[in-house]
Amino acid sequence: MNFMKRLSKNIFSIISVMLAVSCIFAGGKKDKTSSKKQSEDSSVNVEIPADKSDLIQDVSEQSESSEPISENTEPASVKNAFRTGAVSGICAMPFVYFFDGTYVADGSPVTLESDSVENICAKLQEGQLEAGFIPADRAVELLKKSDESLKLLAVCSTLNHSVLTSLPELQSFEDFDFEAFKGKKIFITEKDSAADYAFRYILKAHGLEEGVGPDLDDIDHTVSNEHAVQAMLSDSVEIIIIGEPYATAVMMKNQGAQKIFDLSAEYLKVAQESGFSQVLPSVCVVVNDDYAKKYPQRITEFEAAVSECVAKTVKNPQKAGVLYQKHLHSFMAPVIGKSIASSNFVFKPSSQIRQEFEVLTKLMSLFTSEESISVLSDEAFYSAE
């Protein structure tokens, strides 16, 4: 009798243990499923923070103990990859769609890395990238050094810079009086850029000269794009010329900063009768010519993918912002989403951009220490023929 009781008790204990283990595994499975779903949802839904100061992940504001934010997002080695690189900022904005998975001929995946203009240009020169998205003015310099090993494939954006100020007396002009610039320090974040040359051309057209003094305009290039937000907040900068997405970031984080005018629109106004009236290119695509000759079909399909990326970005800026935040980390999605409206994204193939680059090189020649910057030759433009 005692034996039967003990046996019954043991069987009951075994069954209880088995039921407990089953519940643990079921709960663990449920938790993992929930965690996986939450992770997937977070990749496509980005909540806009109530505090607008959290919209920008400014590298200069990260604490030493926080995880560093790197814009050098070099992908892992992928077999037969079509390697592309984009200069951090506006040059990378439309092309984050490549992270969703893009393939060209022979099933070659398109990879994208984001880095400084110096590093992207160096990798293009050294053949470490098949294509690069870089500022148009840097492309002119790079093409002249490349001995025809690089070619212009397309333009993806025209000049998109804004003139911002925190000075209340400069915020309410309908027809802006450029005399108000006299004696003031004007910061331009990108020295020897298309924006730099365009602004100096505007000043010259209004009879103003660059220099230091009460009757001259003091142009300063010591503030970078990355530090412009903090510089405006600290009032160490009162007038700045800056491109996207940094201009939007400044205005979203500093409510005292206002846009005086759009640089491209003002440039076109003063250039109507000068032969410089073409819209200036801002972001362009450069490709490796040896690679293009070896794999022409890949270049053709890549060009179509670039055009599609630009169209997707303009049509759905919010998704582009989410992808930018997820993969490049330097800006929150709402900043990118809002800045796209001011970014002048447009796709123009090489056959349609020669006049734009001719105007750009002529403009550059007016404000360079060199005697002349020659217009790009026909060989600088990619042709599938």
Coordinates of all heavy atoms in Angstrom, one line a residue, residues 16-103:
S16 N 4.0 17.1 -13.0 CA 4.0 18.5 -12.6 C 5.3 19.2 -13.2 O 5.2 20.3 -13.7 CB 4.0 18.7 -11.1 OG 2.9 18.1 -10.5
V17 N 6.4 18.5 -13.1 CA 7.6 19.0 -13.7 C 7.5 19.2 -15.2 O 7.9 20.2 -15.8 CB 8.8 18.2 -13.3 CG1 10.1 18.6 -14.1 CG2 9.1 18.2 -11.8
M18 N 7.0 18.2 -15.8 CA 6.8 18.2 -17.3 C 5.9 19.4 -17.7 O 6.2 20.1 -18.7 CB 6.2 16.9 -17.8 CG 7.2 15.7 -17.7 SD 6.5 14.2 -18.2 CE 6.3 14.5 -20.0
L19 N 4.8 19.6 -17.0 CA 3.9 20.7 -17.3 C 4.6 22.1 -17.1 O 4.5 23.0 -17.8 CB 2.7 20.6 -16.4 CG 1.7 19.5 -16.7 CD1 0.6 19.5 -15.6 CD2 1.0 19.8 -18.1
A20 N 5.4 22.2 -16.0 CA 6.1 23.4 -15.8 C 7.1 23.8 -16.9 O 7.3 24.9 -17.3 CB 6.9 23.3 -14.4
V21 N 7.9 22.7 -17.3 CA 8.9 22.9 -18.4 C 8.2 23.3 -19.6 O 8.6 24.2 -20.4 CB 9.7 21.6 -18.6 CG1 10.5 21.7 -19.8 CG2 10.6 21.3 -17.4
S22 N 7.0 22.7 -19.9 CA 6.3 23.0 -21.1 C 5.8 24.5 -21.1 O 5.9 25.2 -22.1 CB 5.1 22.1 -21.2 OG 4.2 22.5 -22.3
C23 N 5.4 25.0 -20.0 CA 5.0 26.4 -19.9 C 6.1 27.3 -20.1 O 6.0 28.4 -20.7 CB 4.3 26.6 -18.5 SG 2.7 25.8 -18.3
I24 N 7.3 27.0 -19.5 CA 8.5 27.8 -19.7 C 8.9 28.0 -21.1 O 9.1 29.1 -21.6 CB 9.7 27.3 -18.9 CG1 9.4 27.4 -17.3 CG2 11.0 28.0 -19.2 CD1 10.4 26.7 -16.5
F25 N 8.9 26.8 -21.8 CA 9.3 26.9 -23.3 C 8.2 27.6 -24.1 O 8.6 28.4 -25.0 CB 9.5 25.4 -23.8 CG 10.8 24.9 -23.6 CD1 11.0 24.0 -22.5 CD2 11.9 25.3 -24.3 CE1 12.3 23.5 -22.3 CE2 13.2 24.8 -24.1 CZ 13.4 23.9 -23.1
A26 N 7.0 27.4 -23.7 CA 5.9 28.1 -24.5 C 6.0 29.6 -24.2 O 5.9 30.4 -25.2 CB 4.6 27.6 -24.0
G27 N 6.3 30.0 -23.0 CA 6.5 31.4 -22.7 C 7.6 32.0 -23.4 O 7.6 33.1 -23.9
G28 N 8.8 31.3 -23.4 CA 10.0 31.8 -24.0 C 9.7 31.9 -25.5 O 10.2 32.9 -26.1
K29 N 9.0 31.0 -26.1 CA 8.7 31.1 -27.6 C 7.9 32.3 -27.8 O 8.1 33.1 -28.8 CB 8.1 29.8 -28.0 CG 7.8 29.8 -29.5 CD 7.2 28.5 -29.9 CE 6.9 28.4 -31.4 NZ 6.3 27.1 -31.8
K30 N 6.9 32.5 -27.0 CA 6.0 33.7 -27.1 C 6.8 35.0 -27.0 O 6.6 35.9 -27.8 CB 4.9 33.6 -26.1 CG 3.9 34.7 -26.2 CD 2.8 34.6 -25.2 CE 1.8 35.7 -25.2 NZ 0.8 35.7 -24.2
D31 N 7.7 35.0 -26.0 CA 8.4 36.2 -25.8 C 9.3 36.5 -27.0 O 9.5 37.7 -27.4 CB 9.3 36.1 -24.5 CG 8.4 36.2 -23.3 OD1 7.3 36.6 -23.4 OD2 8.9 35.7 -22.2
K32 N 10.0 35.5 -27.6 CA 10.8 35.7 -28.7 C 10.1 36.2 -29.9 O 10.5 37.0 -30.7 CB 11.6 34.4 -29.0 CG 12.6 34.0 -28.0 CD 13.3 32.7 -28.4 CE 14.4 32.3 -27.4 NZ 15.0 31.0 -27.7
T33 N 8.9 35.6 -30.1 CA 8.0 36.0 -31.3 C 7.7 37.5 -31.1 O 7.7 38.3 -32.0 CB 6.8 35.1 -31.3 OG1 7.2 33.8 -31.4 CG2 5.9 35.5 -32.5
S34 N 7.3 37.8 -29.9 CA 6.9 39.2 -29.6 C 8.1 40.2 -29.8 O 7.9 41.2 -30.4 CB 6.4 39.3 -28.2 OG 6.1 40.7 -27.8
S35 N 9.3 39.7 -29.3 CA 10.5 40.5 -29.5 C 10.8 40.7 -30.9 O 11.2 41.8 -31.4 CB 11.6 39.9 -28.7 OG 12.8 40.6 -29.0
K36 N 10.7 39.6 -31.7 CA 11.0 39.7 -33.2 C 10.1 40.6 -33.9 O 10.5 41.5 -34.7 CB 10.9 38.3 -33.8 CG 11.2 38.3 -35.3 CD 11.1 36.9 -35.8 CE 11.4 36.9 -37.3 NZ 11.3 35.5 -37.9
K37 N 8.7 40.6 -33.5 CA 7.8 41.4 -34.2 C 8.1 42.9 -33.8 O 8.0 43.8 -34.6 CB 6.3 41.1 -33.7 CG 5.2 41.9 -34.4 CD 3.9 41.4 -34.0 CE 2.8 42.1 -34.8 NZ 2.8 43.5 -34.7
Q38 N 8.4 43.1 -32.5 CA 8.7 44.5 -32.1 C 9.9 45.0 -32.8 O 9.9 46.2 -33.2 CB 9.0 44.5 -30.6 CG 9.2 45.9 -30.0 CD 9.4 45.9 -28.5 OE1 9.3 44.8 -27.9 NE2 9.6 47.0 -27.9
S39 N 10.9 44.2 -33.0 CA 12.1 44.6 -33.7 C 11.8 44.9 -35.2 O 12.3 45.9 -35.7 CB 13.2 43.5 -33.7 OG 14.3 43.8 -34.4
E40 N 11.0 44.1 -35.8 CA 10.6 44.4 -37.2 C 9.8 45.6 -37.3 O 10.0 46.4 -38.3 CB 9.8 43.2 -37.8 CG 10.6 41.9 -38.0 CD 9.8 40.7 -38.3 OE1 8.5 40.8 -38.3 OE2 10.3 39.7 -38.7
D41 N 8.9 45.9 -36.4 CA 8.1 47.1 -36.4 C 8.9 48.3 -36.3 O 8.7 49.3 -36.9 CB 7.0 47.1 -35.3 CG 5.9 46.0 -35.6 OD1 5.8 45.6 -36.8 OD2 5.2 45.7 -34.7
S42 N 10.0 48.2 -35.4 CA 10.8 49.4 -35.1 C 11.6 49.8 -36.4 O 12.1 50.9 -36.5 CB 11.7 49.1 -34.0 OG 12.7 48.1 -34.3
S43 N 11.8 48.9 -37.3 CA 12.6 49.2 -38.5 C 11.8 50.0 -39.5 O 12.4 50.5 -40.4 CB 13.1 47.9 -39.1 OG 12.0 47.2 -39.7
V44 N 10.5 50.1 -39.4 CA 9.7 50.8 -40.3 C 8.9 51.9 -39.7 O 8.4 52.8 -40.4 CB 8.8 49.9 -41.1 CG1 9.6 48.9 -41.9 CG2 7.8 49.1 -40.2
N45 N 8.8 52.0 -38.4 CA 8.1 53.0 -37.8 C 9.0 53.8 -36.8 O 9.5 53.2 -35.9 CB 6.9 52.4 -37.0 CG 5.9 51.8 -37.9 OD1 5.5 52.3 -38.9 ND2 5.5 50.6 -37.5
V46 N 9.2 55.1 -37.1 CA 10.0 55.9 -36.2 C 9.1 57.0 -35.6 O 8.5 57.8 -36.3 CB 11.1 56.6 -37.0 CG1 11.9 57.5 -36.1 CG2 12.1 55.5 -37.5
E47 N 9.0 57.0 -34.3 CA 8.1 57.9 -33.6 C 8.8 59.3 -33.6 O 10.0 59.4 -33.2 CB 7.9 57.5 -32.2 CG 7.0 58.4 -31.4 CD 6.7 57.9 -30.0 OE1 7.1 56.8 -29.7 OE2 6.1 58.6 -29.2
I48 N 8.1 60.3 -33.9 CA 8.7 61.7 -33.9 C 8.7 62.1 -32.4 O 7.7 62.2 -31.7 CB 7.9 62.7 -34.7 CG1 7.9 62.3 -36.1 CG2 8.4 64.1 -34.5 CD1 7.0 63.1 -37.0
P49 N 9.9 62.4 -31.9 CA 10.0 62.8 -30.5 C 9.3 64.1 -30.2 O 9.3 65.0 -31.0 CB 11.5 62.9 -30.2 CG 12.1 63.1 -31.5 CD 11.2 62.4 -32.5
A50 N 8.7 64.3 -29.0 CA 8.1 65.5 -28.6 C 9.1 66.6 -28.5 O 8.9 67.8 -28.8 CB 7.3 65.4 -27.3
D51 N 10.3 66.3 -28.0 CA 11.4 67.2 -27.8 C 12.2 67.3 -29.1 O 12.9 66.4 -29.5 CB 12.3 66.8 -26.7 CG 13.4 67.8 -26.4 OD1 13.5 68.8 -27.1 OD2 14.3 67.5 -25.5
K52 N 12.1 68.5 -29.8 CA 12.7 68.6 -31.1 C 14.3 68.6 -31.0 O 14.9 68.4 -32.0 CB 12.3 69.9 -31.8 CG 10.8 69.8 -32.3 CD 10.5 71.0 -33.1 CE 9.0 70.9 -33.6 NZ 8.7 72.0 -34.5
S53 N 14.8 68.8 -29.8 CA 16.2 68.8 -29.6 C 16.8 67.3 -29.9 O 17.9 67.1 -30.1 CB 16.7 69.2 -28.3 OG 16.2 68.3 -27.3
D54 N 15.9 66.3 -29.8 CA 16.3 65.0 -30.0 C 16.2 64.6 -31.5 O 16.4 63.4 -31.8 CB 15.4 64.0 -29.2 CG 15.6 64.2 -27.7 OD1 16.7 64.6 -27.4 OD2 14.6 63.9 -27.0
L55 N 15.8 65.5 -32.4 CA 15.7 65.2 -33.8 C 17.0 65.0 -34.5 O 17.1 64.3 -35.5 CB 14.9 66.3 -34.5 CG 13.5 66.4 -34.2 CD1 12.9 67.7 -34.8 CD2 12.7 65.2 -34.6
I56 N 18.1 65.5 -33.9 CA 19.4 65.5 -34.5 C 20.4 64.8 -33.6 O 20.6 65.1 -32.5 CB 19.9 67.0 -34.8 CG1 18.9 67.7 -35.5 CG2 21.2 67.0 -35.5 CD1 18.8 69.2 -35.2
Q57 N 21.0 63.8 -34.2 CA 22.1 63.1 -33.5 C 23.4 63.7 -33.9 O 24.0 63.3 -34.8 CB 22.1 61.6 -33.8 CG 20.8 60.9 -33.4 CD 20.8 59.4 -33.7 OE1 21.7 58.9 -34.2 NE2 19.7 58.8 -33.3
D58 N 23.8 64.8 -33.1 CA 25.0 65.5 -33.5 C 26.2 64.9 -32.9 O 26.3 64.7 -31.7 CB 24.8 67.0 -32.9 CG 25.9 67.9 -33.5 OD1 26.9 67.4 -33.9 OD2 25.6 69.1 -33.4
V59 N 27.1 64.5 -33.7 CA 28.3 63.8 -33.2 C 29.0 64.6 -32.2 O 29.6 64.1 -31.2 CB 29.3 63.5 -34.4 CG1 30.6 62.9 -33.9 CG2 28.6 62.5 -35.4
S60 N 29.1 65.9 -32.4 CA 29.8 66.8 -31.5 C 29.2 66.9 -30.1 O 29.8 67.3 -29.1 CB 29.9 68.2 -32.1 OG 28.6 68.8 -32.2
E61 N 27.9 66.5 -30.0 CA 27.2 66.6 -28.7 C 27.2 65.2 -28.0 O 26.6 65.2 -26.9 CB 25.8 67.1 -28.9 CG 25.7 68.5 -29.5 CD 24.3 68.9 -29.8 OE1 23.4 68.2 -29.4 OE2 24.1 70.0 -30.3
Q62 N 27.7 64.2 -28.5 CA 27.7 62.9 -27.8 C 28.7 62.9 -26.7 O 29.8 63.4 -26.8 CB 28.1 61.8 -28.8 CG 27.1 61.7 -30.0 CD 25.7 61.4 -29.6 OE1 25.5 60.5 -28.8 NE2 24.8 62.2 -30.0
S63 N 28.3 62.3 -25.6 CA 29.3 62.2 -24.5 C 30.3 61.2 -24.8 O 30.2 60.3 -25.6 CB 28.5 61.8 -23.2 OG 28.0 60.5 -23.3
E64 N 31.4 61.2 -24.0 CA 32.5 60.3 -24.3 C 32.1 58.9 -23.9 O 32.6 57.9 -24.5 CB 33.8 60.7 -23.4 CG 34.4 62.0 -23.9 CD 35.6 62.4 -23.1 OE1 36.0 61.6 -22.2 OE2 36.2 63.4 -23.3
S65 N 31.2 58.7 -23.0 CA 30.8 57.4 -22.6 C 29.7 56.8 -23.6 O 29.5 55.6 -23.5 CB 30.2 57.4 -21.2 OG 29.0 58.3 -21.2
S66 N 29.1 57.6 -24.4 CA 28.1 57.1 -25.3 C 28.7 56.4 -26.5 O 29.8 56.6 -26.8 CB 27.2 58.3 -25.8 OG 27.9 59.2 -26.5
E67 N 27.9 55.6 -27.1 CA 28.4 54.8 -28.3 C 28.6 55.8 -29.4 O 27.8 56.6 -29.8 CB 27.3 53.8 -28.7 CG 27.8 53.0 -29.9 CD 26.7 51.9 -30.3 OE1 25.8 51.8 -29.5 OE2 26.9 51.3 -31.3
P68 N 29.8 55.8 -30.0 CA 30.1 56.8 -31.1 C 29.3 56.5 -32.3 O 28.9 55.4 -32.6 CB 31.6 56.5 -31.4 CG 31.8 55.1 -31.0 CD 30.9 54.9 -29.8
I69 N 28.9 57.6 -33.0 CA 28.1 57.5 -34.2 C 29.1 57.7 -35.4 O 29.8 58.7 -35.5 CB 27.1 58.6 -34.3 CG1 26.1 58.4 -33.1 CG2 26.4 58.7 -35.6 CD1 25.0 59.5 -33.0
S70 N 29.2 56.7 -36.2 CA 30.1 56.8 -37.4 C 29.3 56.8 -38.7 O 28.3 56.1 -38.9 CB 31.0 55.5 -37.4 OG 31.7 55.5 -38.6
E71 N 29.6 57.8 -39.5 CA 29.0 57.9 -40.8 C 29.7 57.0 -41.9 O 29.3 56.9 -43.0 CB 28.9 59.3 -41.3 CG 27.9 60.1 -40.5 CD 27.6 61.5 -41.1 OE1 28.2 61.8 -42.1 OE2 26.7 62.2 -40.5
N72 N 30.8 56.5 -41.5 CA 31.5 55.6 -42.4 C 30.9 54.2 -42.3 O 31.2 53.4 -41.4 CB 33.0 55.5 -42.0 CG 33.8 54.6 -43.1 OD1 33.2 53.9 -43.9 ND2 35.1 54.7 -43.0
T73 N 29.9 53.9 -43.1 CA 29.1 52.7 -43.0 C 29.5 51.7 -44.1 O 28.7 51.3 -44.9 CB 27.6 53.0 -43.2 OG1 27.4 53.7 -44.4 CG2 27.1 53.9 -42.0
E74 N 30.8 51.4 -44.1 CA 31.3 50.5 -45.1 C 30.8 49.1 -45.0 O 30.8 48.6 -43.9 CB 32.9 50.5 -45.1 CG 33.5 49.7 -46.2 CD 35.0 49.8 -46.2 OE1 35.5 50.6 -45.4 OE2 35.6 49.1 -47.0
P75 N 30.1 48.6 -46.0 CA 29.5 47.3 -45.9 C 30.5 46.2 -45.9 O 31.7 46.3 -46.3 CB 28.6 47.2 -47.1 CG 29.4 48.1 -48.1 CD 30.0 49.2 -47.3
A76 N 30.1 45.0 -45.3 CA 30.9 43.8 -45.4 C 31.1 43.4 -46.8 O 30.3 43.7 -47.7 CB 30.3 42.7 -44.6
S77 N 32.2 42.7 -47.1 CA 32.5 42.3 -48.4 C 31.4 41.4 -49.0 O 31.0 40.4 -48.3 CB 33.9 41.5 -48.4 OG 34.2 41.1 -49.7
V78 N 31.0 41.7 -50.2 CA 29.9 40.9 -50.8 C 30.4 40.4 -52.2 O 31.0 41.2 -52.9 CB 28.6 41.7 -51.0 CG1 27.6 40.9 -51.7 CG2 28.1 42.2 -49.6
K79 N 30.3 39.2 -52.5 CA 30.8 38.6 -53.7 C 30.1 39.3 -54.9 O 28.9 39.4 -54.9 CB 30.5 37.1 -53.7 CG 31.2 36.4 -55.0 CD 31.0 34.9 -54.9 CE 31.6 34.2 -56.1 NZ 31.4 32.8 -56.1
N80 N 30.9 39.7 -55.9 CA 30.4 40.4 -57.1 C 29.6 41.6 -56.8 O 28.7 42.0 -57.6 CB 29.5 39.4 -57.9 CG 30.3 38.2 -58.4 OD1 31.5 38.3 -58.7 ND2 29.7 37.1 -58.5
A81 N 29.9 42.3 -55.7 CA 29.1 43.5 -55.3 C 29.4 44.6 -56.3 O 30.6 44.8 -56.8 CB 29.4 43.9 -53.9
F82 N 28.4 45.4 -56.6 CA 28.6 46.7 -57.3 C 28.7 47.7 -56.2 O 27.8 48.2 -55.5 CB 27.4 47.0 -58.1 CG 27.5 48.2 -59.0 CD1 27.7 48.0 -60.4 CD2 27.4 49.5 -58.5 CE1 27.9 49.2 -61.2 CE2 27.5 50.6 -59.3 CZ 27.8 50.4 -60.7
R83 N 30.0 48.1 -55.9 CA 30.3 49.0 -54.7 C 30.1 50.4 -55.0 O 30.7 51.0 -55.9 CB 31.7 48.7 -54.3 CG 32.1 47.3 -54.0 CD 33.6 47.0 -53.9 NE 34.2 47.3 -55.2 CZ 35.5 47.3 -55.4 NH1 36.3 47.0 -54.4 NH2 36.0 47.6 -56.6
T84 N 29.2 51.1 -54.2 CA 29.0 52.5 -54.3 C 29.3 53.2 -53.0 O 29.2 52.6 -51.9 CB 27.6 52.8 -54.8 OG1 26.7 52.6 -53.7 CG2 27.2 52.0 -56.0
G85 N 29.6 54.5 -53.1 CA 29.9 55.3 -51.9 C 29.3 56.7 -52.1 O 29.2 57.2 -53.2
A86 N 28.8 57.2 -51.0 CA 28.1 58.5 -51.0 C 28.7 59.4 -49.9 O 29.0 59.0 -48.8 CB 26.6 58.4 -50.8
V87 N 29.0 60.7 -50.2 CA 29.5 61.6 -49.3 C 28.4 61.8 -48.2 O 27.2 62.0 -48.6 CB 29.9 63.0 -49.9 CG1 30.2 64.0 -48.9 CG2 31.0 62.7 -50.9
S88 N 28.7 61.9 -47.0 CA 27.7 62.0 -45.9 C 26.9 63.3 -46.1 O 27.4 64.3 -46.5 CB 28.5 62.1 -44.5 OG 29.3 61.0 -44.4
G89 N 25.6 63.1 -45.8 CA 24.7 64.3 -45.9 C 23.8 64.1 -47.1 O 23.3 63.0 -47.4
I90 N 23.6 65.2 -47.9 CA 22.7 65.2 -49.0 C 23.0 64.2 -50.1 O 22.1 63.6 -50.7 CB 22.5 66.6 -49.6 CG1 21.3 66.6 -50.6 CG2 23.8 67.0 -50.3 CD1 21.0 68.0 -51.1
C91 N 24.3 63.9 -50.3 CA 24.7 62.9 -51.3 C 24.2 61.5 -51.0 O 24.0 60.7 -52.0 CB 26.2 62.9 -51.5 SG 26.9 64.5 -52.1
A92 N 24.0 61.2 -49.8 CA 23.5 59.9 -49.4 C 22.0 59.8 -49.3 O 21.4 58.7 -49.3 CB 24.1 59.5 -48.1
M93 N 21.3 60.9 -49.2 CA 19.9 60.9 -48.9 C 19.0 60.0 -49.8 O 18.2 59.2 -49.3 CB 19.3 62.3 -48.7 CG 19.7 63.0 -47.4 SD 19.5 64.8 -47.4 CE 17.7 64.9 -47.7
P94 N 19.1 60.2 -51.1 CA 18.2 59.4 -51.9 C 18.6 58.0 -52.1 O 17.7 57.1 -52.5 CB 18.2 60.1 -53.3 CG 19.1 61.3 -53.1 CD 19.9 61.1 -51.9
F95 N 19.8 57.6 -51.7 CA 20.3 56.3 -52.1 C 20.3 55.3 -50.9 O 20.8 54.2 -51.1 CB 21.7 56.5 -52.7 CG 21.6 57.5 -53.8 CD1 22.2 58.7 -53.7 CD2 20.9 57.2 -55.0 CE1 22.1 59.7 -54.7 CE2 20.8 58.1 -56.0 CZ 21.4 59.4 -55.9
V96 N 19.7 55.7 -49.8 CA 19.5 54.8 -48.7 C 18.5 53.6 -49.2 O 18.5 52.6 -48.5 CB 18.9 55.5 -47.5 CG1 20.0 56.3 -46.8 CG2 17.7 56.3 -47.8
Y97 N 17.8 53.8 -50.3 CA 17.0 52.8 -50.8 C 17.8 51.6 -51.2 O 17.3 50.4 -51.3 CB 16.1 53.3 -51.9 CG 14.9 54.0 -51.5 CD1 14.9 55.4 -51.4 CD2 13.7 53.3 -51.1 CE1 13.8 56.1 -50.9 CE2 12.6 54.0 -50.7 CZ 12.6 55.4 -50.6 OH 11.5 56.1 -50.1
F98 N 19.1 51.8 -51.5 CA 19.9 50.6 -51.8 C 20.1 49.6 -50.7 O 20.3 48.4 -50.9 CB 21.3 51.1 -52.2 CG 21.4 51.8 -53.6 CD1 22.3 52.8 -53.8 CD2 20.6 51.4 -54.6 CE1 22.3 53.4 -55.1 CE2 20.6 52.0 -55.9 CZ 21.5 53.0 -56.1
F99 N 19.9 50.1 -49.5 CA 19.9 49.2 -48.3 C 18.7 48.2 -48.3 O 18.8 47.2 -47.6 CB 19.9 50.0 -47.0 CG 21.2 50.7 -46.8 CD1 21.2 52.1 -46.7 CD2 22.4 50.1 -46.5 CE1 22.4 52.8 -46.5 CE2 23.6 50.7 -46.3 CZ 23.6 52.1 -46.3
D100 N 17.7 48.5 -49.0 CA 16.5 47.6 -49.1 C 16.8 46.4 -50.0 O 16.0 45.5 -50.1 CB 15.3 48.4 -49.7 CG 14.4 49.0 -48.6 OD1 14.8 48.7 -47.4 OD2 13.4 49.6 -48.8
G101 N 17.9 46.5 -50.8 CA 18.3 45.4 -51.6 C 18.1 45.8 -53.1 O 16.9 45.8 -53.6
T102 N 19.1 46.1 -53.8 CA 19.1 46.4 -55.2 C 20.1 45.6 -55.9 O 21.3 45.4 -55.4 CB 19.4 47.9 -55.4 OG1 18.4 48.7 -54.7 CG2 19.3 48.3 -56.9
Y103 N 19.8 45.1 -57.1 CA 20.7 44.2 -57.8 C 20.8 44.7 -59.3 O 19.8 45.3 -59.8 CB 20.2 42.8 -57.8 CG 20.2 42.2 -56.5 CD1 19.1 42.4 -55.6 CD2 21.3 41.4 -56.0 CE1 19.2 41.8 -54.3 CE2 21.3 40.8 -54.8 CZ 20.3 41.1 -53.9 OH 20.3 40.5 -52.6

